[in-house]
Amino acid sequence: MSFAYFALIVSIVSASALEIAGARVGAQLGTMAAALSLLAAASAARKADYDHYVRAAAWGRWILLAIPLCIAAQLVPLPLSWAHPIWASAHDVLGGLSLGPITADTGLTVNALLLALAAISLLGVTILVVRNRGRAELVLFVLSGVTAVSALTLDLHRLSPAVAAAAPADFTTTLAGFGLMLNLAVMQLAAERAETHHSVLRSIAIGLCGLVGTLVCAAAIFGFSGTNSAIAAAFGVVLILLILVIRRLDLSPLAAGALSAAALIGATIVLTFLFEKSSGPVLMRLVPNLGTETKAALERMLADTRWFGAGAGSFSAVAKIYQSEAGTTLTAPSAAIAVFADTGWIGLTAMMAVSLIALVRLFFGALQRGRDSFFPAATAACVLFALVQSFAGPGLLRPAAILCLSVIVGLGLSQSVSQSSSR
């Protein structure tokens, strides 16, 4: 598993660093590293590794396999009644075969399919390689460091644009949210090490690194990001604190259930308030203020979207039809809007179902895990942040953000079922 572990680290660091730098090869390099890590893990896997993967991914491995299959189905000829209404209208005018691919752009959908396969591969590889607790800690350190650096670029640019070049704000905001949860987990790791009689100096050093990363990410997400992104991050922090309180106070199942229900009701009230502040389609209520023409174009696009969408990754191609002014570019203001426009109700429902299933699985895994609960707890917080953030901004559409989230989820799932550090 050593080479798989190395390729996994390369995938995270290279994709994130190149995305921050604005290079276009970050996604390709990350995908290649993911493929290498999958091949290495598959060749070195033993029966115990397979059993561990089955236990960790029992929550929804079949759903994960269905995602690339659904994207692939958009590339094969199907009845035009299943496709975007534009293609049916074009057929009525021009004639021809009543069959065709659902996607509006084959190349973009193929790229989306490769990215989906890379993300699922990284999730599976992470589950296998971080069975060993030492490797799990190193992956956590790498993730927390990468996300903190991303948040730092946002902080520096907002404080002094001359000091740091502008990185994609949506991407750095998303990684800052992940970094906040991950660095809180690093601080819990340091506390756990101190409690179990590890080196005090090393525990203090780890804790200080986690504290610095937490402050940097908190400044980026709460000080220099939108209100809705900050609320999404606050939900994640509250979830971590909820798990910590339940475990530290050793609450009974009844008390833990009551506390969890109260937190869920509070989150529902806050979300209901946020969605009711604006009017229009539900998917557009958490996005930043848009121009009148842009909002009208997006509303027309959403109204025309059906169950199967217009093809994964093809938002930019379809947007050209709806944009009102020549020379302007209509971009997705949030990941949820892009997912809905690309894959329709089926894709959006699948995204939310996978997120909620993983969230519940990680929450209960954190409560049952013991001293290593900070792994699944931080991952659950990241998933919750990503779910809310997907309605507020487009950061999760970045390939590096998708790959990082896959590794984070794999880390949490793997450590939610591991039983000893010797594995």
Side-chain angles (χ1 to χ4, degrees), residues 24-118:
R24 296 184 177 181
V25 296
Q28 291 82 351
L29 186 58
T31 301
M32 291 174 58
L36 290 175
S37 65
L38 178 62
L39 290 174
S43 62
R46 299 168 296 176
K47 185 179 183 301
D49 296 319
Y50 175 76
D51 292 340
H52 177 76
Y53 173 81
V54 171
R55 292 173 57 214
W59 60 276
R61 59 182 180 275
W62 302 117
I63 299 178
L64 292 176
L65 292 177
I67 293 175
L69 290 177
C70 290
I71 297 176
Q74 294 181 321
L75 296 168
V76 300
L78 293 172
L80 290 182
S81 59
W82 291 16
H84 197 280
I86 290 176
W87 311 142
S89 300
H91 175 264
D92 293 340
V93 174
L94 303 176
L97 296 177
S98 59
L99 298 175
I102 291 176
T103 178
D105 191 299
T106 302
L108 292 176
T109 301
V110 169
N111 289 337
L113 176 59
L114 294 176
L115 180 60
L117 292 173

Side-chain angles (χ1 to χ4, degrees), residues 199-265:
S199 171
V200 175
L201 290 178
R202 187 175 181 183
S203 299
I204 292 175
I206 293 174
L208 288 176
C209 290
L211 178 60
V212 171
T214 298
L215 294 176
V216 168
C217 294
I221 198 73
F222 294 118
F224 303 118
S225 301
T227 301
N228 294 332
S229 297
I231 292 175
F235 282 161
V237 174
V238 169
L239 181 59
I240 291 177
L241 294 177
L242 174 64
I243 294 172
L244 187 62
V245 168
I246 292 175
R247 286 196 59 256
R248 288 294 182 179
L249 298 182
D250 195 19
L251 298 180
S252 65
L254 181 60
L259 185 60
S260 301
L264 180 61
I265 293 172

Side-chain angles (χ1 to χ4, degrees), residues 117-131:
L117 292 173
I120 294 173
S121 299
L122 277 180
L123 190 152
V125 170
T126 305
I127 290 176
L128 294 180
V129 301
V130 301
R131 288 181 64 206

Side-chain angles (χ1 to χ4, degrees), residues 74 78-92 100-105 297-311 314-315 317-319 321-322 340-344:
Q74 294 181 321
L78 293 172
L80 290 182
S81 59
W82 291 16
H84 197 280
I86 290 176
W87 311 142
S89 300
H91 175 264
D92 293 340
I102 291 176
T103 178
D105 191 299
L298 287 171
E299 288 180 350
R300 292 196 302 270
M301 179 185 291
L302 296 179
D304 287 341
T305 301
R306 296 296 185 265
W307 285 99
F308 297 95
S314 64
F315 185 94
V318 178
I321 302 171
Y322 291 90
F340 178 72
D342 291 351
T343 57

Side-chain angles (χ1 to χ4, degrees), residues 69 71 94-95 186 193 237 263 267 285 291 325 333 341 352 364 375 403:
L69 290 177
I71 297 176
L94 303 176
V186 171
R193 279 176 169 268
V237 174
R285 293 188 181 183
E325 300 179 6
M352 296 184 65
F364 285 103
F375 286 110
L403 297 181

